[in-house]
Amino acid sequence: MKTIVISLGGSIVASDGLNTDFMGKLAKSLEKMDRKIKFGIVVGGGSVARSYISALRKYGVNDNILDEIGINATRMNALALASFFEDANSRIPTTVNDAVEMSRIYRFTIMGGTEPGHTTDTVSALLAERNNSDILINATSVDGVYTSDPRKEKKARKIDALGYDESLVLSMKGLSGAGSNVFMDPTALNIAKRSKIKIFVINGLDIDEYKNVIEKGETTGSVIR
Ligand code: UTP
């Protein structure tokens, strides 16, 4: 039995309100896939996390508390997504260990963040590493890895395939821009690098992309290896 881990960006499930339509479609599509595959889905915080964090940051609230608020948002989104699956957990695991235990029972294990100091990208990389997964799907609101932020720079160019080190340079470069939103955080990339987990960065809203990656190992996004 192999496990495929998906890092589902918060902006995909909760951008302007909860994207329930998308959640229903994703569940239907993944449920149709080979039953020998188990899924670990790590959901981001999206607009809920962002709006709470930015509102409280103005009042000087401690970063550790802000992270806890973000974690709660990710878990709320995870529980919302889990309700669309027939065979998924209804209690959200709070650690990777807990998620691995739960995956013995369910075909779909859905979780959010774990502890302050990182993002759900890192949680997904840890979960993939723990499950000996050879691939990790990073479902984002951008359709791949770009030379710079395509939402800000017209000359940004998509990179079809890149090495871990190149992806780390781009991720670090993105982090230095204030308020920037990088395709994947460097901690997650380092975990993937040490365990040679191939990362597919895909347009998370395109349901066919999940199927293409899982069944054919192909994407119109980017591959990091
Ligand atoms: P996300 O993983 O969604 O953060 O977690 P993000 O990458 O900034 O946002 P998107 O999904 O790409 O839009 C939301 C927030 O929750 C906290 C962090 O503050 C993070 O920014 N968090 C999340 C943690 O502290 N620990 C976790 O394990 C996960």
Side-chain angles (χ1 to χ4, degrees):
M1 186 76 81
K2 73 170 175 179
T3 302
I4 295 216
V5 176
I6 302 174
S7 176
L8 198 59
S11 50
I12 292 169
V13 291
S15 46
D16 188 15
L18 200 59
N19 197 349
T20 45
D21 211 41
F22 165 77
M23 288 180 170
K25 283 185 190 147
L26 180 68
K28 252 203 191 115
S29 168
L30 296 181
E31 277 173 341
K32 276 194 214 131
M33 288 188 194
D34 187 346
R35 295 203 65 86
K36 286 194 205 97
I37 303 172
K38 285 205 173 205
F39 289 87
I41 307 179
V42 186
V43 189
S47 57
V48 185
R50 266 196 302 277
S51 69
Y52 274 58
I53 290 173
S54 67
L56 292 168
R57 183 166 273 140
K58 289 189 191 123
Y59 288 87
V61 173
N62 176 300
D63 271 300
N64 186 276
I65 302 268
L66 295 180
D67 277 354
E68 289 289 356
I69 299 249
I71 292 168
N72 278 293
T74 64
R75 289 181 184 162
M76 192 165 69
N77 288 338
L79 188 55
L81 180 70
S83 344
F84 286 84
F85 288 83
E86 293 263 325
D87 186 5
N89 48 305
S90 56
R91 180 178 71 78
I92 300 305
T94 56
T95 64
V96 166
N97 276 336
D98 203 7
V100 171
E101 290 297 321
M102 252 183 212
S103 68
R104 295 184 212 284
I105 306 169
Y106 302 102
R107 183 169 172 225
F108 294 90
T109 304
I110 304 180
M111 70 186 299
T114 52
E115 66 271 309
H118 54 231
T119 71
T120 45
D121 284 346
T122 297
V123 177
S124 67
L126 290 167
L127 186 62
E129 182 174 63
R130 179 62 180 273
N131 280 310
N132 295 316
S133 308
D134 45 10
I135 68 161
L136 167 62
I137 299 177
N138 184 17
T140 70
S141 51
V142 188
D143 61 343
V145 181
Y146 282 76
T147 47
S148 53
D149 190 341
R151 286 163 294 201
K152 292 181 194 147
E153 289 189 42
K154 265 199 181 150
K155 64 171 180 15
R157 191 178 45 80
K158 187 158 84 183
I159 310 169
D160 295 338
L162 64 164
Y164 296 112
D165 291 332
E166 193 186 344
S167 73
L168 276 160
V169 171
L170 286 171
S171 175
M172 301 289 272
K173 196 172 102 185
L175 278 185
S176 62
S180 64
N181 203 345
V182 293
F183 60 94
M184 193 155 211
D185 70 53
T187 315
L189 291 169
N190 267 316
I191 294 162
K193 181 182 170 187
R194 75 177 182 186
S195 290
K196 299 184 182 62
I197 301 165
K198 203 194 268 188
I199 304 170
F200 289 85
V201 183
I202 65 163
N203 171 2
L205 286 172
D206 184 348
I207 299 288
D208 292 339
E209 274 291 292
Y210 299 87
K211 204 171 147 73
N212 287 342
V213 171
I214 296 164
E215 293 180 356
K216 299 184 202 144
E218 290 171 4
T219 180
T220 57
S222 305
V223 185
I224 304 170
R225 61 181 156 216

